[in-house]
Amino acid sequence: MKEAKETKEKKEKKEEKGLNLKTLSKSSVWDLQENDVFRLLDTVEKDTEMRENFHHYLDIIRSAFLVEELKDDDKRVKQKYTNLDYKVGSVKTDDTKLTLAIKKRPIMRVTDLTYENIRHISAAKLVEVLDRNFGGGWDSLSQSIQDIIESGFDISTTTLPKDRLHKKGGMYEKKIADGYEVLEVAKGSWVEAIFAKLKPESYKPRMVFDSHGEDGDEEDEDVDLPEDTYNKPDEDDVDFGEPNDDDINEDNYRTTFEIETDNDEDAESLSDFIADE
């Protein structure tokens, strides 16, 4: 039931993004399945720009899929790849017809995780991957792998004696109620619990400029521009007026400077020079 819900959410996500070859990226390609890829590649023949950039699109697809170009169109060759869970189909570009075998790259080990695919797996899948690779707990992962995981998931850990981990009203119970998946790693008589939950999508704020009409004289009434006070004096500033040379005399004017001593033994000091004068 849960798996069916995730599949439905991914389908809605694809439709919302309106994915096509021109907007495809090394991150969004992970939303696709093999049939989706062939559906997108079917549009190449009808678009000159896409035909010219076909190999560029194929490189993006390869970041999430295993792609084999079958030079031999023999049925036995196709069946061989079909038995290996590849989807086999044909793509036409200009007058050239390509037979491709495509299979989604599996995420089985922590080393398969990347910044591009981390947000395209569920917390349950992440726990499954961690369970397959674990030994020493969360700290046994390299910092780079931890950074990748934490870019897409909220992670928290706790290590407690076995009999205290599932204590009623404790952290374990609260995290599960909050929708976290958990992996328990045995450490002798203690257990490390690693909690994981997919982070909500965040959007970067964009700077909004006020719009103008065609003549440039229509201002956006909804935009409140701050008053320009850059050259405006502060209220606390005191106007001392223009300096008056008559106010300067020998009692209130002094210039201080430091005379550096010449380290050369043969050099005469300033005081000697003054004395000679």
Side-chain angles (χ1 to χ4, degrees):
M1 183 70 179
K2 187 176 181 180
E3 211 169 292
K5 184 180 178 183
E6 289 177 357
T7 304
K8 184 181 178 182
E9 288 176 352
K10 285 185 178 180
K11 186 177 180 182
E12 290 174 352
K13 201 173 183 181
K14 285 185 288 186
E15 291 173 354
E16 181 185 337
K17 290 182 177 179
L19 288 179
N20 58 62
L21 283 181
K22 292 181 180 179
T23 61
L24 201 62
S25 70
K26 289 186 176 180
S27 175
S28 63
V29 70
W30 283 94
D31 283 328
L32 304 178
Q33 297 303 321
E34 292 85 353
N35 287 334
D36 299 319
V37 174
F38 278 110
R39 179 178 55 80
L40 293 184
L41 292 177
D42 282 341
T43 63
V44 171
E45 185 183 3
K46 303 172 185 177
D47 191 302
T48 303
E49 182 183 345
M50 287 196 289
R51 289 199 301 270
E52 291 174 351
N53 293 287
F54 175 74
H55 289 289
H56 166 68
Y57 302 135
L58 211 55
D59 286 341
I60 294 176
I61 292 169
R62 281 194 173 100
S63 67
F65 291 84
L66 300 170
V67 180
E68 297 289 342
E69 295 185 27
L70 307 185
K71 296 179 180 179
D72 191 345
D73 201 23
D74 188 271
K75 287 184 179 181
R76 288 175 298 178
V77 176
K78 291 181 179 179
Q79 189 59 49
K80 173 186 172 183
Y81 280 93
T82 300
N83 293 341
L84 294 172
D85 295 327
Y86 280 78
K87 178 73 176 178
V88 180
S90 297
V91 179
K92 192 174 182 182
T93 60
D94 290 330
D95 297 328
T96 306
K97 183 179 177 182
L98 292 177
T99 300
L100 301 176
I102 298 176
K103 179 182 178 181
K104 190 76 169 279
R105 289 185 181 276
I107 300 176
M108 304 295 290
R109 302 176 298 276
V110 291
T111 50
D112 294 327
L113 299 172
T114 66
Y115 284 106
E116 286 76 22
N117 66 28
I118 191 63
R119 293 197 60 85
H120 299 276
I121 63 173
S122 65
K125 176 65 175 178
L126 175 64
V127 166
E128 178 190 319
V129 172
L130 293 177
D131 189 28
R132 190 177 293 116
N133 290 270
F134 257 33
W138 175 254
D139 290 336
S140 70
L141 295 172
S142 67
Q143 187 61 54
S144 60
I145 295 296
Q146 289 184 14
D147 290 343
I148 289 172
I149 294 172
E150 291 181 325
S151 71
F153 290 85
D154 281 321
I155 300 291
S156 56
T157 66
T158 184
T159 304
L160 293 169
K162 289 181 182 180
D163 56 348
R164 288 184 53 194
L165 181 62
H166 296 272
K167 184 180 178 181
K168 189 173 182 179
M171 181 181 181
Y172 189 102
E173 188 177 280
K174 290 177 181 177
K175 288 290 186 181
I176 296 299
D178 198 23
Y180 282 78
E181 294 286 341
V182 61
L183 173 64
E184 297 181 28
V185 181
K187 294 186 173 182
S189 61
W190 292 61
V191 175
E192 178 180 3
I194 298 103
F195 303 96
K197 183 179 179 181
L198 189 66
K199 287 181 178 178
E201 293 242 22
S202 58
Y203 297 91
K204 294 180 180 179
R206 294 182 298 175
M207 185 175 289
V208 179
F209 298 92
D210 56 332
S211 57
H212 299 278
E214 292 181 1
D215 297 332
D217 55 358
E218 293 185 12
E219 296 185 3
D220 191 341
E221 297 179 357
D222 296 332
V223 178
D224 294 327
L225 297 177
E227 181 184 359
D228 183 6
T229 59
Y230 183 82
N231 294 314
K232 184 177 179 181
D234 295 334
E235 294 180 0
D236 296 332
D237 287 350
V238 179
D239 185 6
F240 293 100
E242 295 293 328
N244 189 344
D245 291 341
D246 295 337
D247 295 334
I248 303 174
N249 54 59
E250 60 183 1
D251 294 327
N252 63 20
Y253 179 77
R254 181 177 66 179
T255 301
T256 304
F257 61 92
E258 182 180 348
I259 301 175
E260 294 185 1
T261 304
D262 193 337
N263 294 327
D264 190 343
E265 294 179 359
D266 297 330
E268 296 179 344
S269 68
L270 182 60
S271 57
D272 293 339
F273 177 76
I274 295 173
D276 291 342
E277 290 292 321

